[in-house]
Amino acid sequence: IIRVCNAFACEGVMYSGFRKFDPRGAVGTLHYENVQHYTTPALFINIINMARDFGYEFVVAESDHYAKSEFLPGFQWNPKTILMLGEESVGVPQEYIDMADRIVSIPMLGSVRSLNVASSAHILAYDYQIKTGRF
């Protein structure tokens, strides 16, 4: 995901949890990105809420359907978006789904239920760039 953010000029990467990421997957791009690690969900939630005060929208990417879910083709991005992707095995924790301003889903036609998180990040970042006029 750090490589995706570098490729698409994201403002930064925030992640939460007790473990740090393995930097080998970033292939050096972590040295060019603003990567912030928040060890507790409470710290992460505070950052999201502070960003909302500055006009940011909190969007969750989730393959499961919720009342707030919108499919990506019709999804219109706020240029100021914090996008959350979940862990591949468990998805986004319910507390973040509940606090999301919007939920975006990538429609799929095959038999798989979800994509790996890096693939989803690529698709969503590219769509954001196109729809917000950055490309």
Side-chain angles (χ1 to χ4, degrees):
I1 292 174
I2 294 171
R3 289 175 70 188
V4 170
C5 287
N6 182 269
F8 293 101
C10 298
E11 289 183 31
V13 177
M14 298 183 295
Y15 70 101
S16 177
F18 299 107
R19 297 183 307 199
K20 289 203 169 212
F21 71 95
D22 183 347
R24 294 177 294 181
V27 193
T29 56
L30 68 122
H31 301 294
Y32 307 105
E33 296 305 311
N34 178 17
V35 180
Q36 301 293 320
H37 178 217
Y38 299 97
T39 55
T40 66
L43 288 171
F44 198 61
I45 289 168
N46 284 341
I47 294 298
I48 292 166
N49 287 328
M50 285 190 319
R52 282 176 165 154
D53 292 341
F54 291 95
Y56 281 82
E57 185 174 61
F58 178 52
V59 176
V60 167
E62 181 60 54
S63 59
D64 292 337
H65 185 74
Y66 295 90
K68 296 187 261 189
S69 294
E70 301 173 56
F71 282 122
L72 186 60
F75 192 83
Q76 293 303 310
W77 296 93
N78 175 345
K80 291 178 147 187
T81 295
I82 295 174
L83 175 63
M84 175 178 272
L85 295 102
E87 190 176 341
E88 291 180 19
S89 59
V90 295
V92 174
Q94 190 64 46
E95 66 187 312
Y96 297 113
I97 291 169
D98 293 342
M99 71 179 284
D101 296 312
R102 297 166 68 202
I103 298 172
V104 63
S105 296
I106 300 169
M108 292 177 274
L109 300 174
S111 61
V112 296
R113 196 179 77 75
S114 64
L115 299 170
N116 71 45
V117 71
S119 295
S120 295
H122 281 99
I123 292 166
L124 294 164
Y126 181 77
D127 189 75
Y128 171 90
Q129 299 292 348
I130 294 294
K131 290 179 181 173
T132 60
R134 293 186 69 188
F135 276 154

